């Protein structure tokens, strides 16, 4: 269960500028209120505001991937902040009536909120997001690549509660995709297959950098089949149960073949076909993908009443 981490090239991102708004909870994308005025609050006759963002203080402007939202700071009758204008891309220019606004800048999962005051003169506002990127991948023991379709990651907050629970930030992250995050430590869960091949690790994301993390799964892909003789055809309509060394059921399946990914260790396969039950112990070795045959013989047969 090895986590191989490396901090690599700088990427374009964004950072946070403190404006006393750290505790402000802006509404979700469907929870703000759109303007009800007869004319737009954003008008060419008003002051021009240029909004830009950087990953770190003094860094280059982010040229794509930004989402800008401009709100009126006073909630409406429903308690929602009226949305004045929005834009996507990099640096954006807004023409706004003079007054006070809240601007929220988001770059992936990194974001910052700032209160601005707009006058008649053109002005520029910069946001430092204190953010970086995280790129995740995994390999099987021996260095073999895991098919992306059988691999997924979940990203949690780094600080857990007293009971060990952590807030989920992003589920089902694909391997080798770049996730934009605020700098800090995150808890990463890598799942190979859908049974028990799970690796957990804590990874730190640094502002202005792309952190690449590769974990190594001590697991293997196995396919169970019930045969009448060694090397024979798989018997259809077979129900499968797989127990771990502690006798706990980790997987159920129905079919001639029962493919699955299992963490390394000792297991017991129980195959039921019609009114007969067969049982066999087997071992999963890291990185060794293989078929496992359960031979339907008297030696492997189990008394159905004893199995119950």
């Amino acid at each position: 269960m090895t986590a191989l981490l490396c901090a690599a090239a700088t990427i374009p991102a964004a950072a946070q500028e403190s404006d006393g708004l750290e505790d402000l909870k802006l509404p979700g994308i469907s929870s703000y209120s759109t303007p009800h005025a007869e004319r737009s609050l954003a008008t060419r006759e008003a002051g021009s505001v240029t909004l830009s963002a950087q990953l770190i203080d003094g860094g280059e402007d982010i040229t794509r991937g930004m989402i800008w939202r401009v709100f009126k700071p006073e909630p409406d009758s429903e308690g929602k902040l009226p949305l004045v204008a929005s834009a996507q891309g990099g640096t954006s220019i807004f023409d706004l009536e003079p007054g006070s606004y809240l601007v929220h800048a988001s770059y992936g999962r990194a974001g910052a909120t700032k209160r601005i005051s707009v006058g008649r003169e053109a002005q520029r506002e910069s946001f430092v997001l204190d953010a970086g990127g995280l790129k995740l991948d995994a390999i099987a023991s021996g260095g073999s690549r895991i098919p992306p379709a059988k691999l997924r990651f979940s990203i949690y907050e780094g600080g857990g509660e007293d009971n060990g629970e952590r807030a989920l930030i992003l589920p089902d992250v694909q391997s080798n995709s770049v996730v934009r995050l605020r700098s800090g430590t995150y808890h990463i869960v890598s799942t190979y297959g859908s049974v028990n091949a799970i690796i957990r690790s804590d990874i730190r994301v640094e502002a202005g950098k792309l952190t690449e993390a590769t974990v190594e799964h001590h697991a293997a892909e196995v396919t169970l089949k019930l045969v009448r003789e060694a090397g024979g055809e798989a018997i259809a309509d077979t129900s499968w149960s797989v127990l771990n060394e502690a006798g706990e059921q980790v997987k159920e399946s129905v079919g001639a073949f029962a493919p699955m990914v299992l963490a390394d260790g000792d297991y017991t396969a129980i195959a039921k076909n019609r009114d007969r039950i067969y049982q066999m112990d087997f071992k999963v070795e890291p990185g060794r993908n293989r078929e496992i045959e359960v031979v339907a013989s008297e030696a492997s047969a189990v008394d159905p009443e004893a199995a119950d």
Side-chain angles (χ1 to χ4, degrees), residues 109 134-136 153-158 166-173 177-181 185-190 203 205:
R109 293 287 164 164
L134 178 60
K135 186 177 181 181
L136 301 168
F153 297 88
S154 295
I155 301 176
Y156 293 81
E157 287 185 355
R166 304 170 186 265
L168 177 64
I169 295 176
L170 197 61
D172 297 326
V173 177
S177 61
V178 176
V179 181
R180 300 153 182 164
L181 297 165
T185 300
Y186 296 88
H187 186 71
I188 309 301
V189 178
S190 174
I203 297 173
V205 174

Side-chain angles (χ1 to χ4, degrees), residues 195-219:
V195 185
N196 64 349
I198 298 172
I199 298 291
R200 298 177 179 270
S201 56
D202 291 325
I203 297 173
R204 178 161 184 81
V205 174
E206 297 185 33
K209 294 183 178 180
L210 173 64
T211 299
E212 298 184 74
T214 299
V215 299
E216 181 178 334
H217 277 278
H218 290 200

Side-chain angles (χ1 to χ4, degrees), residues 9 12 31 37 50 65 94 97 116 145-146 153 155 161 170 179-180 237-238 243 272:
S31 300
T50 300
F94 293 88
E97 290 184 338
I116 65 171
R145 181 169 174 74
I146 296 174
F153 297 88
I155 301 176
E161 302 292 336
L170 197 61
V179 181
R180 300 153 182 164
D237 300 323
T238 300
L243 311 181
K272 182 177 181 180

